[in-house]
C-alpha cells in the first residue's frame, strides 16, 4: 500500500484533491448553500426587488391655499408626472404633517395663497416642497419632480404672456429658453437603479459567498484535526502544489457555474445593459475568481471554527461594497483608503466590469485592470503556497 501511494504522480494528486474538494462542498449543506444557493438566491431576489428600475407614483399631499384655476392646474401637472401621485389634498399644513407622520404620504407641496394673482402680475411666488431627506431616493423624486413642474408651468405662463404681447409661438419659446439644453443620458438611458447597481453587486456577492464558503470548509478541516494530504509526512512538501491546484480547480468550477448564472443569465433575464462579448467577460472575471479563491484559501487557514468565517466575512461585506465605488464615488474616498482597498479584488474588477459591460469599451481598455487581477492572484497564491510550505516544514500543520 505504501509503495502504491508513493507511485502516485502529480496529476493524479491534483485529480484526487479536486474530487475530494468537490465532495466536501456537496456534502456540506452550509457550504453548498453559500457557494451555490446564495449565488442563485441573492441576484434573483435583488433583481426582482429592483425590477421597476425607478420609483414611480410616490404618494404626496398638496396643500392648495389658493384654490384657484392655476393652482388646480399646477396640482394636475404634479399628478401627471411619472414620479408623483397626488393622493391627498389636505386643507392645512398641520393636516399634511399628520398624514406624513403616519406614512400615508411621502412628501408635501404647499401652494401659497395669492398664487394665481402673483403669477398673473408677474410677481415671484414660492411653492414650498417638504420631502424626507433621510430617504434619498424619495427626497430626490419629490424635489426633482416639483422642480420640473415648476419649470414647465412657469414656461407655459411666460409663453402665453409673450403671445399676448404679439409674439408668435416660436418667438415666445425662444424668448423663454434662448439656450435650450439637450440631455443625453449615457449607458443607462432610463436612469434605472437596478441597471446601475446590480452588475457590480453580482460580482461583490460572488466574492463574498466564495470567501465565506471556502472559510466554512477551512474551519471544518481545522475542527476535524484531519489531514487533507494523501502522501506520507516526509513527502507532503511535494503534495502542497497538487493539493492547492486541486482545491483551486474545484472552486473555479463552482465559480464557472455562478458566472454563467449571475453574469450571463441574470443579465439576459432582467435586461441589464450588456455591450460586451462573452469571451471578454470571462477573460476579465477569470483572474478575479482566481484571486478571490487564493485569498479565500489563505484566509481559511486562520479559521479554527467554521462559524468564524461567517462572522469575519459579514464584517467585511459592507466594507467591500463601500470601497467598490457603487455606494459612493471612489474619487470622493480618501486616497490612502483607496490604496488600501486594492487588497480586495472587487475594488479592481467592479469598475472594469462596468466599463466593459455597460459602457461597451474594448478589452484593450481594461487590460491594465486584468493585469492587476492576475498580480493579485499571483501574490495571494504565492503567499498561500509559502504559508503551507512553512507550516508543513516545521510540522505544525496537519500533524495527523
Amino acid at each position: 500500500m505504501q509503495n502504491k501511494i508513493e507511485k502516485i504522480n502529480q496529476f493524479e494528486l491534483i485529480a484526487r484533491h479536486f474530487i475530494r474538494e468537490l465532495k466536501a462542498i456537496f456534502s456540506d449543506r452550509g457550504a453548498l448553500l453559500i457557494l451555490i444557493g446564495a449565488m442563485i438566491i441573492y441576484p434573483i431576489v435583488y433583481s426582482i426587488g429592483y425590477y421597476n428600475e425607478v420609483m414611480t407614483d410616490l404618494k404626496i399631499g398638496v396643500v392648495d391655499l389658493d384654490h384657484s384655476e392655476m393652482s388646480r392646474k399646477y396640482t394636475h401637472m404634479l399628478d401627471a408626472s411619472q414620479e408623483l401621485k397626488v393622493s391627498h389634498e389636505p386643507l392645512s399644513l398641520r393636516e399634511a404633517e399628520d398624514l406624513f407622520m403616519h406614512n400615508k404620504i411621502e412628501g408635501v407641496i404647499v401652494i401659497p395663497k395669492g398664487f394665481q394673482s402673483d403669477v398673473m402680475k408677474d410677481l415671484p411666488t414660492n411653492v414650498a416642497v417638504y420631502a424626507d431627506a433621510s430617504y434619498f431616493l424619495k427626497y430626490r423624486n419629490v424635489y426633482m419632480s416639483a422642480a420640473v413642474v415648476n419649470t414647465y408651468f412657469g414656461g407655459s405662463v411666460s409663453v402665453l404672456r409673450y403671445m399676448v404681447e404679439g409674439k408668435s409661438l416660436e418667438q415666445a419659446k425662444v424668448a423663454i429658453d434662448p439656450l435650450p439644453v439637450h440631455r443625453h443620458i449615457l449607458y443607462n438611458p432610463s436612469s434605472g437603479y437596478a441597471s446601475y447597481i446590480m452588475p457590480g453587486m453580482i460580482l461583490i456577492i460572488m466574492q463574498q459567498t466564495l470567501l465565506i464558503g471556502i472559510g466554512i470548509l477551512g474551519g471544518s478541516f481545522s475542527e476535524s484535526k484531519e489531514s487533507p494530504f494523501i502522501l506520507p509526512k516526509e513527502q507532503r512538501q511535494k503534495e502542497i502544489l497538487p493539493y492547492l491546484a486541486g482545491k483551486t480547480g474545484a472552486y473555479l468550477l463552482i465559480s464557472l457555474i455562478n458566472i454563467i448564472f449571475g453574469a450571463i443569465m441574470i443579465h439576459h433575464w432582467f435586461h441589464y445593459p450588456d455591450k460586451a462579448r462573452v469571451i471578454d467577460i470571462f477573460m476579465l472575471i477569470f483572474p478575479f475568481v482566481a484571486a478571490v479563491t487564493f485569498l479565500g484559501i489563505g484566509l481559511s487557514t486562520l479559521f479554527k471554527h467554521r462559524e468564524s468565517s461567517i462572522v469575519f466575512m459579514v464584517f467585511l461585506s459592507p466594507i467591500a461594497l463601500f470601497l467598490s465605488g457603487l455606494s459612493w464615488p471612489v474619487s470622493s474616498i480618501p486616497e490612502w483608503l483607496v490604496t488600501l482597498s486594492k487588497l480586495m479584488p472587487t475594488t479592481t474588477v467592479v469598475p472594469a466590469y462596468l466599463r466593459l459591460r455597460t459602457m461597451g469599451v474594448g478589452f484593450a481598455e481594461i487590460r491594465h485592470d486584468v493585469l492587476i487581477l492576475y498580480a493579485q492572484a499571483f501574490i495571494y497564491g504565492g503567499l498561500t503556497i509559502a504559508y503551507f510550505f512553512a507550516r508543513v516544514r516545521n510540522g505544525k500543520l496537519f500533524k495527523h
Side-chain angles (χ1 to χ4, degrees), residues 351-369:
Y353 184 75
L354 294 179
R355 295 202 306 274
L356 181 70
R357 205 75 189 267
T358 304
M359 299 173 64
V361 304
F363 186 79
E365 302 296 327
I366 62 167
R367 187 173 299 166
H368 177 70
D369 303 280

Side-chain angles (χ1 to χ4, degrees), residues 28-94:
D28 189 313
R29 293 183 180 179
L32 189 62
L33 178 63
I34 294 296
L35 288 170
I36 297 180
M39 196 58 214
I40 294 174
I41 294 171
Y42 284 157
I44 288 180
V45 170
Y46 282 141
S47 297
I48 291 174
Y50 296 141
Y51 187 73
N52 289 330
E53 290 277 8
V54 295
M55 298 179 69
T56 58
D57 291 334
L58 284 178
K59 294 181 180 180
I60 64 167
V62 176
V63 182
D64 186 357
L65 301 178
D66 194 48
H67 302 292
S68 62
E69 181 180 349
M70 280 194 171
S71 66
R72 286 190 291 270
K73 180 181 178 182
Y74 184 87
T75 302
H76 291 155
M77 290 180 70
L78 288 171
D79 192 46
S81 65
Q82 181 184 11
E83 293 80 11
L84 303 181
K85 177 181 181 181
V86 180
S87 61
H88 294 77
E89 294 189 40
L91 299 178
S92 66
L93 187 58
R94 178 63 62 84

Side-chain angles (χ1 to χ4, degrees), residues 17-216:
H17 286 298
F18 173 78
I19 294 172
R20 176 182 288 186
E21 195 67 24
L22 284 179
K23 287 181 178 179
I25 292 171
F26 285 95
S27 62
D28 189 313
R29 293 183 180 179
L32 189 62
L33 178 63
I34 294 296
L35 288 170
I36 297 180
M39 196 58 214
I40 294 174
I41 294 171
Y42 284 157
I44 288 180
V45 170
Y46 282 141
S47 297
I48 291 174
Y50 296 141
Y51 187 73
N52 289 330
E53 290 277 8
V54 295
M55 298 179 69
T56 58
D57 291 334
L58 284 178
K59 294 181 180 180
I60 64 167
V62 176
V63 182
D64 186 357
L65 301 178
D66 194 48
H67 302 292
S68 62
E69 181 180 349
M70 280 194 171
S71 66
R72 286 190 291 270
K73 180 181 178 182
Y74 184 87
T75 302
H76 291 155
M77 290 180 70
L78 288 171
D79 192 46
S81 65
Q82 181 184 11
E83 293 80 11
L84 303 181
K85 177 181 181 181
V86 180
S87 61
H88 294 77
E89 294 189 40
L91 299 178
S92 66
L93 187 58
R94 178 63 62 84
E95 184 181 343
E97 182 180 357
D98 185 64
L99 290 170
F100 182 84
M101 292 301 177
H102 286 83
N103 295 320
K104 294 183 178 180
I105 55 177
E106 308 293 347
V108 178
I109 294 178
V110 180
I111 303 174
K113 187 174 180 61
F115 176 78
Q116 178 170 293
S117 176
D118 290 341
V119 170
M120 296 301 293
K121 294 176 182 178
D122 200 17
L123 297 175
T125 184
N126 296 313
V127 174
V129 179
Y130 298 87
D132 183 6
S134 66
Y135 201 129
F136 184 75
L137 289 178
K138 291 182 179 180
Y139 167 80
R140 173 186 174 275
N141 273 24
V142 175
Y143 176 78
M144 293 299 295
S145 297
V148 170
V149 169
N150 284 349
T151 300
Y152 279 99
F153 183 84
S156 64
V157 172
S158 298
V159 166
L160 291 175
R161 184 175 292 112
Y162 282 122
M163 292 180 68
V164 169
E165 293 175 358
K167 291 184 173 63
S168 66
L169 178 60
E170 292 301 321
Q171 289 175 323
K173 289 181 178 180
V174 171
I176 65 169
D177 191 12
L179 295 173
V181 176
H182 298 282
R183 293 196 309 162
H184 300 279
I185 303 176
L186 303 176
Y187 314 127
N188 188 3
S190 66
S191 298
Y193 189 75
S195 296
Y196 158 70
I197 196 74
M198 282 308 299
M201 182 65 74
I202 288 172
L203 295 183
I204 294 175
I205 294 172
M206 191 178 299
Q207 172 182 274
Q208 298 309 106
T209 54
L210 192 54
L211 291 177
I212 294 173
I214 296 173
I216 288 176

Side-chain angles (χ1 to χ4, degrees), residues 180-256:
V181 176
H182 298 282
R183 293 196 309 162
H184 300 279
I185 303 176
L186 303 176
Y187 314 127
N188 188 3
S190 66
S191 298
Y193 189 75
S195 296
Y196 158 70
I197 196 74
M198 282 308 299
M201 182 65 74
I202 288 172
L203 295 183
I204 294 175
I205 294 172
M206 191 178 299
Q207 172 182 274
Q208 298 309 106
T209 54
L210 192 54
L211 291 177
I212 294 173
I214 296 173
I216 288 176
L217 291 173
S220 296
F221 271 119
S222 296
E223 290 178 354
S224 68
K225 304 297 183 181
E226 295 180 357
S227 170
F229 292 120
I230 298 173
L231 298 180
K233 290 183 179 180
E234 61 274 9
Q235 298 186 40
R236 284 181 179 174
Q237 286 192 4
K238 298 179 181 179
E239 193 179 353
I240 291 176
L241 290 180
Y243 166 67
L244 292 176
K247 193 179 183 74
T248 301
Y251 292 113
L252 289 177
L253 178 61
I254 296 295
S255 297
L256 175 63

